[in-house]
Amino acid sequence: MSATASTIAGSPVISVRDAGIRFRRNRRGRRNFKDLFAGSSRRSRPGEFWPLRNVTFDVRPGEAIGVVGRNGQGKSTLLKLVAEVILPDEGTVRVGAGVAPLIEITGGFVNDLTVRDNVYLTAGLHGMTRADIDARFDEIIEFAEIADFVDTPYKHLSSGMKVRIAFSVISRLEEPVMLVDEVLAVGDRAFREKCYRRIEELLAGGRTLFFVSHNEKDLRRFCTRGLYLDKGALVLDGPIADVLAAYNADYPPKQK
Amino acid sequence: MVGSAGAVQRSNASRYRHALWLLTTRDLKVRYSTSALGYLWSILDPLVMSGIYWFVFTQVFSRDVGTEPYIVFLLCGLLPWMWFTGAASDSTRAFLAEAKLIRSTKIPRTIWVFRLIASKGFEFVASIPVLAAFALVTGATLTPWVLLWPLAFVIQAILLMGVGLIVAPLVVFFRDLERAVKLVLRFLFYASPIVYASADLPEGFHFWAAFNPLSGIFGLYRAAFFPEQLDSFYVGVSAAMSLVLLGIGLVIFRRSIRAVLKEI
């Protein structure tokens, strides 16, 4: 029963209009009160730059989008804008459905609490009810393969286990939109493959995927449409094969 | 198959409350699961402090401030003060301490401040039995004015929300504020009617003391045992000041949150 997908089918689930965000080049730069509260029009300072500007696109439910670009061209910034953990200085970012952000996935976990407490905390913060979590708890633990450590304080887990439980929780959120930033670079190959299968499962279930990666193989595997970011602008929005071709033409891959 | 429409359909207000509750209980859980004494710590601090003040002001100096029984008088001010100072100084780290979580979770950002006020508020409530115990032992008489406690609680919560919303975002840009706040709090301890009553102040200060919002709030708490401590002028000014601070806080918070999220 794809309740969330069907109610908004047709209309875009993510709608980005002329979005731009401004950062200061040197983080230790001077700040004054006026700068903090002045309207954006009155502030144009030389030390500022726009990692993203004039970005416009729509995403329809069920689409799988890969974001392509070199380091520092605004990919992660775009992902964070869509996750609404940062806000645009220009334009709008509208996300019409719940989001499961696989960004800094271990960020919400508390070292001193047990795995069980952490699962309830993180899933709850992302909007799951207690009853939902109760129903999925065993599934989450089983996926992460840490059944023996449910009542162990989180800090005693190995780093691989930490990532596994975090991925397991976020990927069970049942939100219609999934954001994936290269989190899966960690963990052993078997678990990574398991994560990828999980993502495919979710895609088959009608989820919308927003995927940032440098790995061409992964991009082709999951995505149908690509966004190519360069120098803070959206250069190309099209089928993933075209986007990768354009990217490779601009920045030819090194011979291996 | 996407399923779980329940999670989607829940209203914003209930999601807000749920997230606030989760983060508040998380703090308490961490505190109580990592220390052997747990709850005792949240009452030990005010107990030791009131022991010291009781000794200094009743045994060393001949006291002419406050009211008998002095220990009850002290605790009526000291316990809510612990809430105030704890939440205000914690709010300097509201964003910095949770940067990783804030960068990955989208919940209404005021929660990062309000959860601190809530968890310190719980500790305050948990410390009330200490006051009750001392009142019993010393034979202080409880008056019907104790019914004003919820009002005092609400005004103090509003005041703390205002202070927190102002302090939390500004500290992100001006780290010096963290230490400045600690200094101001130390000053405020003596500038507020905790070891003394507002009426003990020299004549010239009476009017101005009203503009410390804590004067009215502590007066309300104290009225439970010492009805003469209630001053409606003080209460009115402190309620008004708290609301004004909350208004200022909301404006500052709204206008700076964009920059805060980029900075952390």
Side-chain angles (χ1 to χ4, degrees):
Chain A
M1 56 152 227
S2 63
T4 42
S6 63
T7 50
I8 46 172
S11 65
V13 63
I14 301 170
S15 171
V16 178
R17 289 274 166 281
D18 296 318
I21 189 161
R22 180 203 312 109
F23 277 88
R24 284 180 300 130
R25 192 161 268 122
N26 51 338
R27 289 181 69 81
R28 292 268 101 211
R30 267 186 70 235
R31 271 261 168 199
N32 56 35
F33 278 98
K34 209 178 103 209
D35 191 34
L36 251 184
F37 303 114
S40 51
S41 55
R42 269 178 290 157
R43 293 180 286 196
S44 165
R45 303 168 69 84
E48 294 175 340
F49 73 110
W50 295 80
L52 274 183
R53 201 162 195 186
N54 302 325
V55 175
T56 298
F57 62 91
D58 281 328
V59 178
R60 291 182 187 289
E63 275 192 299
I65 296 200
V67 184
V68 180
R70 302 185 70 205
N71 282 331
Q73 304 301 313
K75 298 190 301 293
S76 294
T77 307
L78 180 62
L79 203 68
K80 285 182 178 169
L81 279 172
V82 172
E84 294 179 279
V85 293
I86 53 176
L87 306 166
D89 290 304
E90 276 184 0
T92 57
V93 174
R94 207 187 49 77
V95 182
V99 166
L102 287 157
I103 310 172
E104 300 206 30
I105 46 174
T106 55
F109 284 71
V110 183
N111 274 332
D112 286 321
L113 295 180
T114 62
V115 169
R116 182 189 307 275
D117 286 341
N118 269 303
V119 167
Y120 277 88
L121 174 67
T122 307
L125 281 181
H126 283 98
M128 257 167 115
T129 59
R130 226 191 141 72
D132 284 341
I133 307 171
D134 284 337
R136 297 218 172 76
F137 187 80
D138 291 338
E139 208 185 313
I140 289 171
I141 295 299
E142 194 200 328
F143 186 88
E145 301 165 20
I146 55 167
D148 297 338
F149 299 93
V150 171
D151 292 309
T152 309
Y154 182 69
K155 62 184 168 196
H156 293 159
L157 298 184
S158 74
S159 50
M161 290 179 186
K162 288 180 181 173
V163 176
R164 263 153 43 196
I165 185 68
F167 178 88
S168 184
V169 172
I170 309 284
S171 69
R172 300 284 136 159
L173 282 179
E174 306 289 337
E175 298 285 11
V177 181
M178 207 180 1
L179 307 178
V180 184
D181 196 359
E182 297 158 289
V183 278
L184 306 178
V186 267
D188 55 60
R189 190 180 305 168
F191 188 73
R192 196 175 338 154
E193 189 46 46
K194 198 167 160 185
C195 293
Y196 283 179
R197 276 203 304 277
R198 173 76 185 147
I199 292 176
E200 277 175 335
E201 231 175 272
L202 293 168
L203 276 173
R207 306 300 174 81
T208 310
L209 174 68
F210 210 85
F211 188 67
V212 169
S213 178
H214 284 290
N215 187 325
E216 210 179 302
K217 214 174 96 224
D218 294 345
L219 284 162
R220 287 186 199 278
R221 176 172 176 181
F222 298 119
C223 306
T224 49
R225 178 178 159 197
L227 300 176
Y228 173 19
L229 294 176
D230 199 24
K231 301 188 180 67
L234 179 55
V235 181
L236 183 65
D237 175 358
I240 190 73
D242 297 357
V243 166
L244 284 171
Y247 176 56
N248 289 333
D250 288 354
Y251 301 102
K254 290 213 176 65
Q255 300 301 321
K256 278 181 196 158
Chain B
M1 129 123 232
V2 175
S4 177
V8 180
Q9 281 163 4
R10 282 162 73 214
S11 71
N12 286 336
S14 90
R15 280 192 71 156
Y16 190 102
R17 274 200 309 272
H18 187 54
L20 185 60
W21 172 252
L22 280 166
L23 287 169
T24 305
T25 49
R26 178 197 68 168
D27 287 354
L28 298 172
K29 243 186 235 162
V30 169
R31 199 161 312 145
Y32 295 148
S33 72
T34 52
S35 71
L37 291 180
Y39 165 72
L40 217 53
W41 283 119
S42 58
I43 57 169
L44 216 53
D45 194 311
L47 267 182
V48 170
M49 293 312 283
S50 41
I52 293 170
Y53 293 125
W54 172 83
F55 182 78
V56 170
F57 290 108
T58 67
Q59 308 298 307
V60 180
F61 300 111
S62 62
R63 178 182 54 86
D64 56 358
V65 297
T67 316
E68 265 334 305
Y70 187 62
I71 190 78
V72 174
F73 177 87
L74 253 180
L75 282 171
C76 279
L78 206 53
L79 295 180
W81 166 257
M82 299 302 292
W83 179 24
F84 181 83
T85 186
S89 64
D90 277 5
S91 69
T92 59
R93 308 209 39 89
F95 289 114
L96 303 174
E98 300 294 338
K100 269 166 88 186
L101 188 51
I102 297 169
R103 281 201 302 262
S104 61
T105 321
K106 181 208 158 198
I107 56 175
R109 337 281 163 195
T110 47
I111 289 179
W112 302 114
V113 177
F114 293 167
R115 73 183 184 90
L116 299 169
I117 298 165
S119 75
K120 290 290 171 190
F122 274 116
E123 285 189 18
F124 168 51
V125 172
S127 70
I128 290 174
V130 177
L131 175 63
F134 274 99
L136 274 178
V137 171
T138 57
T141 39
L142 193 66
T143 71
W145 292 109
V146 72
L147 296 174
L148 288 178
W149 270 51
L151 177 65
F153 202 83
V154 167
I155 298 177
Q156 192 176 352
I158 291 173
L159 173 68
L160 277 170
M161 292 198 286
V163 171
L165 290 178
I166 294 170
V167 167
L170 292 185
V171 169
V172 175
F173 305 105
F174 311 101
R175 298 288 166 101
D176 294 351
L177 257 182
E178 203 176 325
R179 306 178 77 170
V181 166
K182 296 226 154 53
L183 202 64
V184 169
L185 283 173
R186 203 172 310 154
F187 168 78
L188 213 52
F189 176 82
Y190 293 101
S192 306
I194 297 166
V195 293
Y196 55 85
S198 300
D200 298 325
L201 286 168
E203 199 57 49
F205 288 103
H206 278 189
F207 176 74
W208 298 109
F211 292 91
N212 173 0
L214 293 171
S215 303
I217 293 168
F218 292 165
L220 274 174
Y221 285 120
R222 277 192 174 140
F225 297 101
F226 316 101
E228 72 282 359
Q229 299 291 330
L230 191 62
D231 184 323
S232 52
F233 173 65
Y234 278 21
V235 175
V237 173
S238 90
M241 295 261 308
S242 303
L243 285 171
V244 168
L245 278 171
L246 178 60
I248 296 173
L250 285 171
V251 170
I252 290 185
F253 197 84
R254 252 225 323 269
R255 302 208 65 167
S256 60
I257 190 66
R258 210 172 281 272
V260 168
L261 294 175
K262 280 192 252 178
E263 196 76 12
I264 56 174

